[in-house]
Amino acid sequence: MRSATAETSEWTGNDGIPASRRGGTRGPAGAWFAGLLLLGVSVVLGCRIADTDAITPVPQLLAFLPWLLAPTGVALAFAALSRWRVGLVWGVAALAVIAWYIEPYGKTREPGGVPVAEVRVLTANVEYGKATDELVEAVGKQRPDFVFVQECESTCEKTLEQAFGKSGKNEKDEENEKDAKGGYPYRQAVESATSGGSDGSVILSRHPLKPAKGIPATMGMPGAVADVDGQEIRLQLAHPMPPLPSDLGTWRKELSALRDYAAANAARPTVVAGDFNATQDHAAFRRILDTGFMDGARLTGDTRAPSWPALTTPVFGAQIDHVLVSRGFSATRTRFLDLADTDHRALVVDLTLYKNV
């Protein structure tokens, strides 16, 4: 027969406090807090699993999917302190799903044939033209073959003309500008009508350009065809609207237009570069990759290197600036450049074009 003391100890513990009250309300409160965190994380992960960008705030949170590790870790800690077994299992499962999706999306291919051209691409969002001077300096140091500039309003356009010259009217004028102005006499642009706005985009080139139909977009997405030592390379600047709550429809529509362009040009040497306002965790961006295009940063092992917001990179951020290439390309090097006065890092990718002979 058990003693009264043993019976009391079983229900109260050695300290005399009832087991149901040990820890006060910390247990239930901690479990509720962990549950709320895990619920929010699970909604975002559920949309990622379902291959949808859903509605606000999911598209905005998907951009930072790897960072969901932080609230999940906090939830696990509170679940452990609260001795909430369901929360522990839930949290571990969420961590596993996040880890799975942190891996680079899609497959890469090694192009066959022989190398026929090497080009360097630089893309930069200069934030309402404020970082144009920094861009000019970066172009002088990096010497890219093609420069894709987003948010290049009227002041930005004038600065680029002063630095690199304006497209000549004939071959002689173009050669003179190439010698005198730094080697970018060719350009294709959607001009901005204002100063200090986000509209306006420019493609600069060392190589002759032929105009090509761009993609209609709110902020301007010009296109061109470059002649690189006899090889035609199609160029398309990307700058869809950001996924603001009021602009989600436009964001999806303009990314869908980029997807259609990629599908139509997957078999031709093509470069699509710019500020996509999307990461590999957005379904609308993955559909572009599903056409066969490859991300230059992925090819060089820099998939998760953040490009925005510049204030917190490279510690925290998302990679929304990309250089995408069709199947005939390989990438050998990727660099992210810090430019003053813009919320984006510039992206430089070295590419090699192969051709079957």
Side-chain angles (χ1 to χ4, degrees):
M1 185 173 181
R2 301 174 65 185
S3 68
T5 302
E7 295 255 354
T8 303
S9 176
E10 179 179 340
W11 287 97
T12 64
N14 294 330
D15 55 6
I17 300 175
S20 62
R21 294 180 56 196
R22 279 200 300 270
T25 60
R26 182 181 62 186
W32 274 104
F33 182 66
L36 288 174
L37 285 176
L38 290 172
L39 180 61
V41 168
S42 297
V43 168
V44 178
L45 293 179
C47 291
R48 178 66 179 84
I49 293 170
D51 197 31
T52 178
D53 295 319
I55 60 174
T56 298
V58 173
Q60 295 82 4
L61 292 175
L62 278 170
F64 300 98
L65 184 140
W67 302 101
L68 293 180
L69 289 169
T72 305
V74 172
L76 272 171
F78 274 91
L81 289 172
S82 305
R83 300 178 183 178
W84 183 34
R85 293 181 181 179
V86 172
L88 289 172
V89 174
W90 188 359
V92 170
L95 286 178
V97 174
I98 296 169
W100 174 265
Y101 285 122
I102 285 177
E103 290 297 308
Y105 177 79
K107 299 179 180 179
T108 60
R109 304 175 183 85
E110 287 294 330
V114 296
V116 293
E118 293 184 354
V119 295
R120 176 172 292 175
V121 176
L122 186 155
T123 178
N125 181 321
V126 292
E127 193 179 4
Y128 314 135
K130 294 186 295 183
T132 307
D133 291 337
E134 287 279 330
L135 173 63
V136 170
E137 184 177 345
V139 168
K141 292 179 179 178
Q142 299 295 324
R143 308 296 288 172
D145 294 270
F146 306 118
V147 184
F148 294 74
V149 190
Q150 303 92 58
E151 299 194 18
C152 187
E153 39 71 87
S154 57
T155 303
C156 166
E157 293 170 6
K158 293 177 182 177
T159 301
L160 294 180
E161 288 180 6
Q162 292 172 358
F164 304 120
K166 191 174 183 179
S167 293
K169 296 180 180 180
N170 55 57
E171 292 184 3
K172 183 176 180 180
D173 289 341
E174 289 172 348
E175 287 300 318
N176 290 338
E177 288 179 353
K178 187 173 181 179
D179 293 337
K181 295 291 187 178
Y184 297 91
Y186 311 100
R187 70 183 59 207
Q188 193 70 20
V190 173
E191 296 184 356
S192 171
T194 61
S195 175
S198 62
D199 61 329
S201 300
V202 179
I203 301 173
L204 302 177
S205 174
R206 289 183 176 279
H207 306 277
L209 291 182
K210 293 189 297 186
K213 184 179 179 180
I215 297 175
T218 308
M219 295 187 289
M221 296 198 287
V225 179
D227 182 345
V228 182
D229 300 327
Q231 305 296 323
E232 280 198 347
I233 299 177
R234 304 182 76 84
L235 308 175
Q236 176 60 53
L237 186 145
H239 194 203
M241 284 291 286
L244 300 174
S246 59
D247 295 317
L248 281 180
T250 303
W251 175 71
R252 289 192 178 94
K253 178 181 177 181
E254 293 179 356
L255 281 171
S256 178
L258 284 166
R259 186 267 171 203
D260 293 342
Y261 176 89
N265 292 282
R268 292 183 274 192
T270 305
V271 176
V272 184
D275 171 12
F276 283 76
N277 279 310
T279 74
Q280 71 166 44
D281 297 307
H282 288 111
F285 182 74
R286 291 194 300 277
R287 292 184 183 115
I288 299 174
L289 298 179
D290 289 343
T291 66
F293 270 67
M294 299 173 291
D295 195 319
R298 164 76 192 280
L299 295 176
T300 59
D302 300 289
T303 303
R304 289 292 183 180
S307 63
W308 173 89
L311 184 65
T312 58
T313 58
V315 177
F316 173 83
Q319 189 180 114
I320 64 174
D321 299 270
H322 307 273
V323 173
L324 305 187
V325 294
S326 55
R327 299 185 186 99
F329 284 95
S330 69
T332 56
R333 188 183 180 197
T334 294
R335 296 173 303 290
F336 290 87
L337 311 178
D338 295 319
L339 305 182
D341 302 320
T342 176
D343 55 349
H344 288 252
R345 300 165 88 192
L347 172 60
V348 182
V349 182
D350 292 340
L351 302 171
T352 301
L353 174 64
Y354 291 80
K355 187 174 182 180
N356 292 319
V357 293

